[in-house]
Amino acid sequence: MDKNYKIEVIEDVAGLGLVKGFKVAGVGCDIRNKNDMSRLDTALIVSDVLATASGVFTTNDVKAAPVLVDMAHLDASSKVKAIIANSGNANACTGKQGMADANDTCKFVADIYGVKKEQVLVCSTGRIGEFMPMEKLKSGILSASEKLGNDDQSSENASRAIMTSDTRPKTVLVNVEFNGKKFSIAGMAKGAGMIEPNMATMLAFLVSDVSISQNFLKESLRMAANKTFNRITVDGDMSTNDTVLCLCNGAGDVEISETDADAIEAFRAGIIEASRVLARKIVGDGEKITKVVEVKVKGARDEAQAEKICRAIGNSLLVKSSWFGCDPNWGRLTDAAGYARTGIVLDKIDLYYNDVEVLKAGQPVDANKPKWCEIVANKTFTITMNLNLGTAEESILSADLTDEYVNFNKGE
């Protein structure tokens, strides 16, 4: 079917400040208490006007204070003026004091811009179980508010300010054209370890210049997250702080009407593409990984079966270790698929590394083994398992398990 839109994806720009009506900043205020003001740790995103907002959050029973505050704020108000985010301290597992600090942070920003506390969202990432150094954070907020800009440097500073163990910023700018109209969606994200969103430690911020209702934005963001951020895994751990936020301020004079099928298709394609790029960047920068592997399951009875098997394979420590060792150990793949306990039939399974056959109707194609070894030695490759039980399919992005990952995470 012909598409009624065109998408331009630009990955090598910081992005957020390039979208109409948004200004950003990133500064350092020594949140880590290392006597180092040079490391950026506080990011501020501000819309010129109140923007329609929505979010997707961790499903962990243990949610950090900023997550709880943002969920409450989005329930109370559909409009948001600003997002304040910090790295170096997660404000998680900090009890009543943590909640008070998160609320105080929102009120501090709200007072600067003359809006309600509920019209500010707050995000934190970093060490769990430590109280936020509020005086330092407030100093950083004031500094950021004075340095807001819509230039490349301001955007890059903001993207670096949310990094923890990340080795590089993760940004994207997506320009969408449909029916003679144009709009933009920009995003930045962080995440390297503790990554298996269901809705890791992962933060992602998206902004757009479209006009849209909160209900439709919420539905579209949830759809995008399910197809992208919720289809990645580095280490199988789900964080206390996972958050994806999207602000749409209408500065571009493009309305996404729920009665306009072309507008709906274009916006959803744009937000999915922006999210997909950021999700892939998160996996590609996983803590000390050497491989990024796409696991596809086809021919499933339904999507739930396909997803469960994808996750079983992508999170298997034995599978991930074999990827690190460049070992095409298909037995571990089928074992993981089996212990997902969805009712697969081995004699029906076809398995491929890239496009090279590994199993045909459950029987190994040993003649291809030299090619398997070549493929799994690559930095990226795809595993496709066809269950031949139905028509549903799903995929997930995963990574290998390395010696360096263990060494990096064995102590803080």
Side-chain angles (χ1 to χ4, degrees), residues 208-256:
S208 179
D209 52 12
V210 302
S211 175
I212 191 171
S213 71
Q214 189 190 41
N215 285 340
F216 188 64
L217 176 59
K218 183 177 181 179
E219 180 183 335
S220 300
L221 184 62
R222 171 67 65 179
M223 177 184 296
N226 283 340
K227 290 179 176 291
T228 59
F229 297 117
N230 285 339
R231 294 293 182 272
I232 61 176
T233 179
V234 171
D235 49 22
D237 279 355
M238 184 191 300
S239 166
T240 55
N241 291 60
D242 301 340
T243 300
V244 177
L245 297 176
C246 184
L247 303 185
C248 298
N249 66 4
D253 298 323
V254 173
E255 182 179 0
I256 307 302

Side-chain angles (χ1 to χ4, degrees), residues 294-298 313 333 349-356 358-359 382-387:
E294 183 172 17
V295 179
K296 295 182 178 181
V297 173
K298 304 172 63 177
I313 294 172
L333 302 176
I349 292 176
D350 300 328
L351 182 67
Y352 299 83
Y353 294 150
N354 288 346
D355 58 354
V356 175
V358 178
L359 297 179
T382 300
I383 290 170
T384 303
M385 178 177 287
N386 192 334
L387 306 179

Side-chain angles (χ1 to χ4, degrees), residues 16-315:
L16 265 67
L18 304 181
V19 176
K20 294 178 184 177
F22 287 97
K23 294 183 177 66
V24 297
V27 300
C29 61
D30 192 33
I31 285 177
R32 291 169 174 82
N33 293 316
K34 300 290 186 181
N35 294 316
D36 181 8
M37 298 293 287
S38 65
R39 180 165 183 174
L40 304 180
D41 54 22
T42 305
L44 184 61
I45 305 167
V46 179
S47 175
D48 289 348
V49 298
L50 289 174
T52 302
S54 187
V56 179
F57 302 96
T58 181
T59 57
N60 195 323
D61 284 347
V62 179
K63 292 177 174 63
V67 171
L68 296 172
V69 167
D70 287 352
M71 293 172 71
H73 284 191
L74 288 172
D75 283 341
S77 175
S78 64
K79 298 293 186 178
V80 165
K81 177 67 175 179
I83 299 171
I84 179 67
N86 74 272
S87 62
N89 186 312
N91 193 8
C93 303
T94 45
K96 293 180 180 179
Q97 183 62 51
M99 289 295 293
D101 288 344
N103 276 300
D104 190 22
T105 300
C106 291
K107 186 178 186 307
F108 189 79
V109 175
D111 288 346
I112 293 174
Y113 295 102
V115 297
K116 298 177 182 178
K117 179 186 71 172
E118 292 77 15
Q119 293 172 327
V120 175
L121 301 176
V122 57
C123 293
S124 299
T125 180
R127 191 182 291 270
I128 292 174
E130 293 189 357
F131 295 124
M132 186 70 68
M134 289 299 293
E135 292 307 312
K136 290 184 176 183
L137 178 58
K138 288 180 178 180
S139 174
I141 292 170
L142 287 174
S143 177
S145 68
E146 295 168 355
K147 295 180 180 180
L148 285 172
N150 54 11
D151 57 291
D152 288 347
Q153 190 61 59
S154 297
S155 296
E156 181 176 348
N157 288 346
S159 66
R160 289 186 177 277
I162 60 173
M163 292 168 52
T164 51
S165 56
D166 308 66
T167 65
R168 53 190 178 271
K170 301 162 182 66
T171 60
V172 66
L173 175 65
V174 174
N175 296 314
V176 184
E177 182 176 354
F178 75 103
N179 297 343
K181 303 175 183 178
K182 296 181 180 179
F183 65 88
S184 298
I185 300 173
M188 69 179 187
K190 66 82 52 184
M194 201 180 281
I195 298 290
E196 191 191 24
N198 238 327
M199 272 313 321
T201 297
M202 189 198 88
L203 300 179
F205 306 109
L206 299 162
V207 300
S208 179
D209 52 12
V210 302
S211 175
I212 191 171
S213 71
Q214 189 190 41
N215 285 340
F216 188 64
L217 176 59
K218 183 177 181 179
E219 180 183 335
S220 300
L221 184 62
R222 171 67 65 179
M223 177 184 296
N226 283 340
K227 290 179 176 291
T228 59
F229 297 117
N230 285 339
R231 294 293 182 272
I232 61 176
T233 179
V234 171
D235 49 22
D237 279 355
M238 184 191 300
S239 166
T240 55
N241 291 60
D242 301 340
T243 300
V244 177
L245 297 176
C246 184
L247 303 185
C248 298
N249 66 4
D253 298 323
V254 173
E255 182 179 0
I256 307 302
S257 169
E258 297 177 44
T259 61
D260 186 338
D262 288 349
I264 292 172
E265 182 183 26
F267 180 73
R268 285 185 169 167
I271 198 170
I272 288 171
E273 188 58 33
S275 301
R276 179 179 291 117
V277 171
L278 294 177
R280 183 171 285 274
K281 287 177 179 287
I282 288 170
V283 177
D285 195 27
E287 285 174 346
K288 310 302 180 181
I289 69 161
T290 65
K291 308 275 179 69
V292 175
V293 183
E294 183 172 17
V295 179
K296 295 182 178 181
V297 173
K298 304 172 63 177
R301 296 187 186 92
D302 51 40
E303 291 181 356
Q305 180 185 36
E307 181 188 347
K308 191 171 184 180
I309 293 172
C310 281
R311 291 191 184 279
I313 294 172
N315 284 327

Side-chain angles (χ1 to χ4, degrees), residues 382-399:
T382 300
I383 290 170
T384 303
M385 178 177 287
N386 192 334
L387 306 179
N388 290 303
L389 297 174
T391 60
E393 60 183 79
E394 279 290 352
S395 65
I396 193 169
L397 283 178
S398 186

